Amino acid sequence: TPEFEALSYVWGDPQNTRPIKLNGQPFQVTENLEAALRRLRHDDRVRIMWIDAICINQRNPREQEHQIGLMRNIFEGCSQCIVWLGEEDNETEKALETL
């Protein structure tokens, strides 16, 4: 298995999607995931990420159930776990100061 990063993120409204290219093919993801991918991409190198909405067939409940059982191993086996809560807004700085 190649080294990979895992993305933990807020899905957002599943009705609000945006297209991305996945292996050269169009693929719909939530607006929040599209924003995360846009912000986290590297311009100068490939980034291998495990993202549940992409790596798990969301239309197959059996696969979802199986993959959920593997998620602990996935997150323990990644080189880095990235947490994406969404785009910065007016409350972001206040929230970080509170933390």
Side-chain angles (χ1 to χ4, degrees), residues 52-64 67:
D52 58 357
I54 295 173
C55 296
I56 300 172
N57 181 352
Q58 300 301 313
R59 295 182 179 154
N60 184 331
R62 197 173 218 172
E63 180 178 341
Q64 283 180 307
Q67 292 290 331

Side-chain angles (χ1 to χ4, degrees), residues 3 5 10 30 32 34 45 49 54-55 63 73 86 98:
E3 191 171 288
E5 298 168 291
V10 177
T30 62
N32 194 47
E34 188 270 339
R45 64 188 184 280
M49 299 181 81
I54 295 173
C55 296
E63 180 178 341
N73 294 338
T98 300

Side-chain angles (χ1 to χ4, degrees), residues 10-83:
V10 177
W11 271 48
D13 185 343
Q15 301 303 314
N16 295 332
T17 62
R18 295 231 171 113
I20 63 168
K21 283 201 174 182
L22 184 62
N23 296 324
Q25 301 297 313
F27 189 83
Q28 293 292 320
V29 296
T30 62
E31 287 179 332
N32 194 47
L33 177 52
E34 188 270 339
L37 292 171
R38 190 172 7 88
R39 294 284 187 175
L40 297 170
R41 79 186 325 158
H42 292 309
D43 291 332
D44 60 341
R45 64 188 184 280
V46 172
R47 188 170 206 171
I48 300 173
M49 299 181 81
W50 184 90
I51 302 169
D52 58 357
I54 295 173
C55 296
I56 300 172
N57 181 352
Q58 300 301 313
R59 295 182 179 154
N60 184 331
R62 197 173 218 172
E63 180 178 341
Q64 283 180 307
E65 184 179 324
H66 175 72
Q67 292 290 331
I68 287 170
L70 299 175
M71 286 179 76
R72 178 180 178 168
N73 294 338
I74 290 166
F75 280 90
E76 285 179 348
C78 67
S79 62
Q80 175 173 252
C81 180
I82 300 165
V83 177

